[in-house]
Amino acid sequence: GVVNKYEINGLQAWIITHVLWFANAYYFHCFSPTIIFDNWIPLLWCANMLGYAVSTFAMIKGYFFPTNTKDCKFTGNFFYDYMMGIEFNPRIGKWFDFKLFFNGRPGIVAWTLINLSYAAKQQELYGQVTNSMILVNVLQGIYVLDFFWNEAWYLKTIDICHDHFGWYLGWGDCVWLPYLYTLQGLYLVYHPVQLCTANAIGILMLGLIGYYVFRMTNHQKDLFRRTNGNCKIWGKKPEYIECSYVSVDGTKYYSKLMTSGFWGWARHFNYTGDLMGSLAYCLTCGFEHILPYFYIVYMTILLTHRCIRDEHRCFSKYGKDWKRYTAAVPYRLIPGIF
């Protein structure tokens, strides 16, 4: 279908938002830094109204004035179309792209603001910010900043390349992401945890190693693609399997699937790093309640499902070449186990 150009300015948007936040909360005193926590339920109502309004508008737009009619998908099932979306790349004007904006602006920018508000509430209630709350802010802040620093890479993910825009992304980005991804900070406001030094260092190391694995695995794939395999991974030329596929118009293409570096360990080792970081967020809360661990359970289900979805597409695309690849790299997420 149509290949769009994108305005990559997420990092600037994140920086401007946070500068304005700190200026208004701590310098001009226009509002308290605890404002998000203090209005958690009213904001939840607002987020839901926005999520459903955007999803409904996207549905109506897909029927009556789509950006590109050839990229629309109608299944005949109203509820499925509403949930999963009709338009592939709904836009208003040249630059306002629904998928990139809602995936990469309100929810994920709010993620770090919400955590800062939780930290401020801890300071207000207890006179200090616990090391567990600091760890949550630092580790999740690194993840968010990585997203914006590498925003161009995000354009190559399943969300942008394959998913249509409906309730799944519209409501999910407005409500699910900012409210469910910040459960650790919310829990720590009500149940502050001061970790011993050894546990704090261990959790920090797990989070940082997980981030390193996540970032370097994606970097290896990006470098391999950009150079068409003419690069070095871990000091030597990467190994790969030559594959071919045929497009809808009958044209035959060739590509390479890397089988060395982190990609020789598992077929989705970037997800493994992501899960290590997710577990670190949850461990900051101790073991008194299961609620903070919802995130690692959810991420495990989400990323395992993504593995299956991605591999189903790859098998359809590459056929027997994909079987050769899975024989060379037999594990999905955890080498020697799964």
Side-chain angles (χ1 to χ4, degrees), residues 50-233:
L50 175 62
Y52 277 100
V54 167
S55 306
T56 303
F57 178 78
M59 180 81 164
I60 294 169
K61 185 178 181 302
Y63 273 106
F64 297 106
F65 48 100
T67 304
N68 188 287
T69 54
K70 293 181 179 179
D71 280 346
C72 291
K73 178 179 69 176
F74 297 93
T75 66
N77 184 319
F78 175 84
F79 294 102
Y80 183 87
D81 288 347
Y82 182 79
M83 183 175 182
M84 301 309 297
I86 292 172
E87 281 198 83
F88 184 46
N89 290 306
R91 288 191 163 198
I92 293 178
K94 185 179 180 181
W95 291 116
F96 187 83
D97 185 272
F98 277 69
K99 275 204 296 192
L100 182 60
F101 179 80
F102 284 99
N103 281 351
R105 296 296 182 275
I108 201 161
V109 169
W111 190 346
T112 41
L113 287 181
I114 293 168
N115 282 339
L116 288 170
S117 187
Y118 290 159
K121 193 65 182 181
Q122 254 200 1
Q123 179 67 40
E124 179 186 283
L125 291 174
Y126 311 110
Q128 66 167 343
V129 179
T130 61
N131 57 7
S132 55
M133 180 68 85
I134 293 170
L135 280 172
V136 166
N137 273 266
V138 169
L139 292 175
Q140 294 187 350
I142 290 171
Y143 185 88
V144 170
L145 276 172
D146 177 87
F147 175 89
F148 288 120
W149 186 264
N150 297 285
E151 191 175 12
W153 163 83
Y154 179 68
L155 300 177
K156 301 170 185 176
T157 62
I158 284 180
D159 292 345
I160 299 293
C161 294
H162 295 288
D163 290 340
H164 289 238
F165 187 84
W167 179 87
Y168 171 72
L169 290 179
W171 181 87
D173 292 327
C174 293
V175 181
W176 186 265
L177 191 160
Y179 275 82
L180 273 299
Y181 287 20
T182 58
L183 277 178
Q184 291 79 35
L186 179 66
Y187 176 84
L188 290 170
V189 172
Y190 291 103
H191 308 279
V193 174
Q194 183 68 24
L195 298 163
C196 71
T197 303
N199 287 348
I201 292 173
I203 291 169
L204 177 63
M205 292 306 297
L206 175 64
L208 292 178
I209 292 170
Y211 170 71
Y212 174 80
V213 170
F214 171 78
R215 172 52 32 224
M216 288 308 299
T217 306
N218 284 318
H219 171 71
Q220 287 179 1
K221 180 170 69 173
D222 185 56
L223 178 64
F224 181 78
R225 282 178 172 174
R226 282 190 288 107
T227 62
N228 195 32
N230 295 312
C231 60
K232 286 189 175 182
I233 302 293

Side-chain angles (χ1 to χ4, degrees), residues 38-52:
D38 296 337
N39 295 277
W40 199 79
I41 297 300
L43 286 170
L44 178 60
W45 280 100
C46 292
N48 268 284
M49 287 189 283
L50 175 62
Y52 277 100

